[in-house]
Amino acid sequence: MWPVTDAPIGHGAILVGGDGRIQEIGPSALVPLPEGAESISFPRCLLTPGIINAHTHLELTNLRGKIQDPDFFDWIQHLRREKADGNQELFVEACRVGIREFWSYGVTCVADTGDSGSAAIALSELGGRGIAFQEVFGPHPDQRDSALAALRERVKESVSYASEAVRVGVSPHAPYTVSEMLYCDVAAYARAEGLRIAVHVAESISETKFIVRGEGPFADAWQARGIPQPVTAESPVAFLERAGVLGPDLLAIHCVHVSQQDILRLADSGTCVVVCSNSNARHGHGLPNPLPMIEAGISVGVGTDSVASLPVPDPYAEARALVELGLSKHRVAELLTIVGARATGWDDEIGSLETGKWADLCVFGGFNAPLDSGSVAAALIDADQTGVVATFVAGRMVHGAEGDRRGRSGAVSTG
Ligand SMILES: [Zn+2]
């Protein structure tokens, strides 16, 4: 067992309370099994905190493999057309499929962005955990009031599905789909309501061209639609800074095209980041460079982005991409768990195995390596979907052979 924030424990056990939180953790000989409690044992397995997937688009799960355009601008237009054909029931079903698929990868918490309001519904219905960021679009300054009013309505609907496991945030989509005025308004609204914010930013060269020079395909599209060009800024991150969006409650998605100055902007404001290397590579955006961001003190999570970008939403493939970018396996394992929890605002509740936190757990099979932090981190990073033998959310097995055990206390042990 590897709590991530503590040394690995041989033949470890966790006692889960009836409320789904961790009551005790330690070597199995020292963790008492209360009378009447059930015990599940996973011999020769590695138990870790559940994986935090810090950027997903669950409502797009049914668009897997359907949008193949190599050019990013064409891909976005194609995505918009496909989404326009959907309805709420289809989106909720897509979210259900996506949540169950993530459980099969050991993912126990998602930070999801979408505009249909379906993720909160599906998470609540299935007993999953995550934050559903309600998207808002509005490139024309004249859309400022109507877009904000519509966002407030959608948030109100989603909040009715909120719980200890399901949170709601807002996502003013990206600097090329949201006017600076709307950014200002949404940030003020979110902060007044205590809602976290997620923004796609610094993803493509086209976005940078648009914000820095008012040129490129986004500029052409805005011009064709009669939308005034934004006032230029030094960079997309500087644009968000000027709009008052940066802050410790902001999750900045992608951050591929960031300068050293941008990294300082993000770090000084306490902004969190999520990187999605494989999605960036698929779209030809280049690759993020997370190390300087981490060294600057930024909490960097890992995300798989949508299956419309990459058909296989594999967090371990993302993890290995980060190892190829020069991060140690131990560090990447932290990004997948406790740091990902921090980046999405969940670290008081999940991200490590500690007394009082939710029993969100992932069990990997066939673990025979020595029990040191290097080996357990390597086992996690080198894992794949087939290696995940069980996944628990709040002590309930949501993936694995043992079926549903909702609300019952018991011990989970490995050895
Ligand atoms: Zn995205």
Side-chain angles (χ1 to χ4, degrees), residues 55 57 113 200 253-254 305:
H55 183 49
H57 291 263
T113 64
H200 293 80
I253 306 160
H254 294 306
D305 212 347

Side-chain angles (χ1 to χ4, degrees), residues 245-263:
V245 182
L246 301 187
D249 51 359
L250 175 68
L251 181 62
I253 306 160
H254 294 306
C255 293
V256 177
H257 300 282
V258 290
S259 64
Q260 191 54 40
Q261 190 59 36
D262 287 334
I263 292 174

Side-chain angles (χ1 to χ4, degrees), residues 49-60:
I51 304 300
I52 316 294
N53 192 336
H55 183 49
T56 65
H57 291 263
L58 288 168
E59 69 186 10
L60 304 182

Side-chain angles (χ1 to χ4, degrees), residues 53-116:
N53 192 336
H55 183 49
T56 65
H57 291 263
L58 288 168
E59 69 186 10
L60 304 182
T61 304
N62 56 357
L63 297 183
R64 191 192 309 267
K66 285 193 180 164
I67 306 175
Q68 300 289 349
D69 308 64
D71 178 75
F72 185 54
F73 183 79
D74 296 342
W75 181 90
I76 291 176
Q77 303 306 317
H78 192 166
L79 177 69
R80 285 180 53 180
R81 290 195 300 277
E82 290 279 351
K83 268 181 85 176
D85 291 340
N87 61 52
Q88 178 101 49
E89 188 41 49
L90 283 175
F91 288 131
V92 173
E93 179 54 21
C95 292
R96 290 187 195 109
V97 172
I99 292 164
R100 291 196 179 100
E101 182 173 28
F102 281 130
W103 285 343
S104 76
Y105 280 99
V107 171
T108 53
C109 183
V110 292
D112 188 77
T113 64
D115 72 344
S116 68

Side-chain angles (χ1 to χ4, degrees), residues 31-370:
V31 174
L33 185 66
E35 206 173 313
E38 70 174 325
S39 157
I40 314 171
S41 163
F42 295 97
R44 292 176 300 286
C45 285
L46 173 66
L47 190 149
T48 68
I51 304 300
I52 316 294
N53 192 336
H55 183 49
T56 65
H57 291 263
L58 288 168
E59 69 186 10
L60 304 182
T61 304
N62 56 357
L63 297 183
R64 191 192 309 267
K66 285 193 180 164
I67 306 175
Q68 300 289 349
D69 308 64
D71 178 75
F72 185 54
F73 183 79
D74 296 342
W75 181 90
I76 291 176
Q77 303 306 317
H78 192 166
L79 177 69
R80 285 180 53 180
R81 290 195 300 277
E82 290 279 351
K83 268 181 85 176
D85 291 340
N87 61 52
Q88 178 101 49
E89 188 41 49
L90 283 175
F91 288 131
V92 173
E93 179 54 21
C95 292
R96 290 187 195 109
V97 172
I99 292 164
R100 291 196 179 100
E101 182 173 28
F102 281 130
W103 285 343
S104 76
Y105 280 99
V107 171
T108 53
C109 183
V110 292
D112 188 77
T113 64
D115 72 344
S116 68
S118 309
I121 297 172
L123 283 167
S124 157
E125 189 187 282
L126 296 181
R129 186 184 310 283
I131 178 164
F133 290 103
Q134 175 63 48
E135 282 181 330
V136 55
F137 301 84
H140 199 299
D142 290 354
Q143 294 168 298
R144 176 180 184 179
D145 293 339
S146 59
L148 184 64
L151 175 67
R152 284 174 176 276
E153 276 309 304
R154 300 309 287 267
V155 167
K156 207 188 289 176
E157 286 165 28
S158 287
V159 163
S160 65
Y161 296 93
S163 65
E164 284 185 306
V166 180
R167 297 179 181 175
V168 175
V170 294
S171 179
H173 174 255
Y176 54 87
T177 56
V178 173
S179 68
E180 186 166 348
M181 290 306 192
L182 184 54
Y183 265 119
C184 294
D185 290 354
V186 170
Y189 158 64
R191 282 165 186 149
E193 299 286 328
L195 300 166
R196 294 183 77 86
I197 309 170
V199 178
H200 293 80
V201 66
E203 180 179 7
S204 65
I205 288 172
S206 302
E207 178 188 334
T208 300
K209 263 190 199 165
F210 176 56
I211 292 295
V212 176
R213 299 205 302 270
E215 295 171 357
F218 293 121
D220 296 345
W222 281 34
Q223 208 164 14
R225 291 168 62 192
I227 302 169
Q229 300 287 314
V231 176
T232 56
E234 195 184 306
S235 68
V237 170
F239 172 82
L240 291 184
E241 181 183 51
R242 192 173 69 200
V245 182
L246 301 187
D249 51 359
L250 175 68
L251 181 62
I253 306 160
H254 294 306
C255 293
V256 177
H257 300 282
V258 290
S259 64
Q260 191 54 40
Q261 190 59 36
D262 287 334
I263 292 174
L264 287 177
R265 290 183 173 103
L266 295 166
D268 290 349
S269 59
T271 300
C272 306
V273 167
V274 51
V275 291
C276 311
S277 320
N278 288 332
S279 165
N280 300 147
R282 141 72 176 95
H283 288 298
H285 295 324
L287 290 171
N289 186 11
L291 196 55
M293 294 194 265
I294 294 167
E295 285 172 347
I298 298 169
S299 296
V300 178
V302 182
T304 56
D305 212 347
S306 82
V307 293
S309 290
L310 275 181
V312 182
D314 181 347
Y316 310 106
E318 276 301 319
R320 291 189 286 274
L322 295 180
V323 172
E324 279 178 31
L325 288 173
L327 271 57
S328 72
K329 289 185 176 180
H330 188 272
R331 177 160 260 166
V332 177
E334 289 176 333
L335 302 193
L336 285 176
T337 53
I338 186 64
V339 180
R342 205 175 294 144
T344 54
W346 281 97
D347 53 315
D348 288 343
E349 302 277 352
I350 52 170
S352 59
L353 304 180
E354 293 178 58
T355 306
K357 284 193 172 182
W358 293 106
D360 285 12
L361 317 170
C362 181
V363 184
F364 298 95
F367 181 71
N368 297 310

